Amino acid sequence: MRVMIRAHQILTGYQCCSHLCLCVFGGLLIWFAAARFECLAVELQNNTNVRTLIACVEKQLRLKRYAEDVITCFRFMVLFVIALCSFLMTLCAVIMAMNTPVNVKLMFLLLNMYFLMYLYMYAWPADNMKDMSLSLSRSAYDLKWYEQTLGMQKNLLYVMMYQKPVTLSIKCIIKELSLHYYCTYLSNALSFCTTLRVLLDRLTDQNVS
């Protein structure tokens, strides 16, 4: 029995560490994509002719495909983290309203913080990548376009017009993962836990009476 319990603890710890490493790797890849967008925006600011502008646009298209591939790889991991956070918060609210040992309550609180940290590890770089993907249009606007030729001005206008941010989203579930979504999710989850605890307290009082 001790061997089985110890093996189960080791396996659980290994899974938690592996999941943490995978989440860190996904967050770093998103940060890397955002950094490349920022570097490209700086390169665009030093643009002087149509040839270098075309090269920047080609780099932007390749970089956008790369960022979309990264998002596709980790989209379902984010969905798993959100579903698990919601489930654990529901359990935590139920356990908090019941007469359970303090160590059990503390365990569920730590699990909630653990997976909320996972979600934040995706929300922060995803929000930054969205801003950096729009930095190219701002860089084109900050150029001295009024000193350029008419053809160059038209090309810069095209760069500013056809800009769509790269966002981490899941159809019908997450419109856009960002810091604003994270704060909204956290606020709604805490409100749900509070409401559920109040309902359970009322049911307990009715049963007692």
Side-chain angles (χ1 to χ4, degrees), residues 78-132:
V78 174
L79 179 61
F80 169 76
V81 171
I82 292 174
L84 199 55
C85 280
S86 303
F87 177 71
L88 286 175
M89 283 194 171
T90 305
L91 282 181
C92 189
V94 174
I95 289 172
M96 287 294 179
M98 298 171 63
N99 292 326
T100 52
V102 178
N103 58 346
V104 176
K105 295 180 179 180
L106 183 62
M107 181 185 69
F108 276 92
L109 282 175
L110 290 176
L111 282 174
N112 279 327
M113 293 175 62
Y114 190 70
F115 283 97
L116 284 174
M117 179 190 68
Y118 278 171
L119 185 57
Y120 183 76
M121 286 170 57
Y122 285 116
W124 187 17
D127 187 81
N128 185 62
M129 184 175 64
K130 174 192 171 184
D131 292 338
M132 291 299 104

Side-chain angles (χ1 to χ4, degrees), residues 12-199:
T12 303
Y14 176 75
Q15 288 178 341
C16 292
C17 293
S18 300
H19 194 268
L20 177 62
C21 292
L22 186 60
C23 288
V24 170
F25 180 65
L28 288 175
L29 284 178
I30 298 175
W31 274 116
F32 178 68
R36 290 183 62 183
F37 274 117
E38 187 174 4
C39 293
L40 185 58
V42 174
E43 184 178 348
L44 183 62
Q45 288 179 352
N46 299 323
N47 178 63
T48 55
N49 53 57
V50 178
R51 181 177 298 175
T52 55
L53 179 62
I54 293 174
C56 288
V57 172
E58 290 177 350
K59 290 181 181 178
Q60 180 199 6
L61 293 176
R62 291 195 297 268
L63 181 54
K64 189 175 181 181
R65 285 194 293 268
Y66 168 78
E68 290 174 350
D69 289 340
V70 171
I71 289 173
T72 302
C73 291
F74 292 94
R75 181 178 286 125
F76 293 102
M77 182 65 71
V78 174
L79 179 61
F80 169 76
V81 171
I82 292 174
L84 199 55
C85 280
S86 303
F87 177 71
L88 286 175
M89 283 194 171
T90 305
L91 282 181
C92 189
V94 174
I95 289 172
M96 287 294 179
M98 298 171 63
N99 292 326
T100 52
V102 178
N103 58 346
V104 176
K105 295 180 179 180
L106 183 62
M107 181 185 69
F108 276 92
L109 282 175
L110 290 176
L111 282 174
N112 279 327
M113 293 175 62
Y114 190 70
F115 283 97
L116 284 174
M117 179 190 68
Y118 278 171
L119 185 57
Y120 183 76
M121 286 170 57
Y122 285 116
W124 187 17
D127 187 81
N128 185 62
M129 184 175 64
K130 174 192 171 184
D131 292 338
M132 291 299 104
S133 63
L134 291 174
S135 62
L136 292 175
S137 58
R138 292 194 294 266
S139 297
Y141 180 79
D142 292 337
L143 288 172
K144 294 183 178 180
W145 49 267
Y146 48 85
E147 296 180 357
Q148 304 293 332
T149 62
L150 182 60
M152 187 66 174
Q153 292 179 12
K154 289 182 178 179
N155 292 325
L156 290 174
L157 182 61
Y158 292 148
V159 172
M160 289 186 287
M161 285 176 58
Y162 300 103
Q163 289 295 324
K164 184 179 178 181
V166 180
T167 58
L168 202 163
S169 60
I170 303 174
K171 289 184 178 180
C172 303
I173 300 177
I174 304 175
K175 183 178 180 181
E176 178 184 314
L177 182 63
S178 61
L179 291 177
H180 177 72
Y181 173 84
Y182 180 80
C183 294
T184 304
Y185 174 83
L186 189 58
S187 176
N188 292 336
L190 293 176
S191 300
F192 172 75
C193 291
T194 304
T195 305
L196 185 58
R197 182 173 181 178
V198 171
L199 290 175

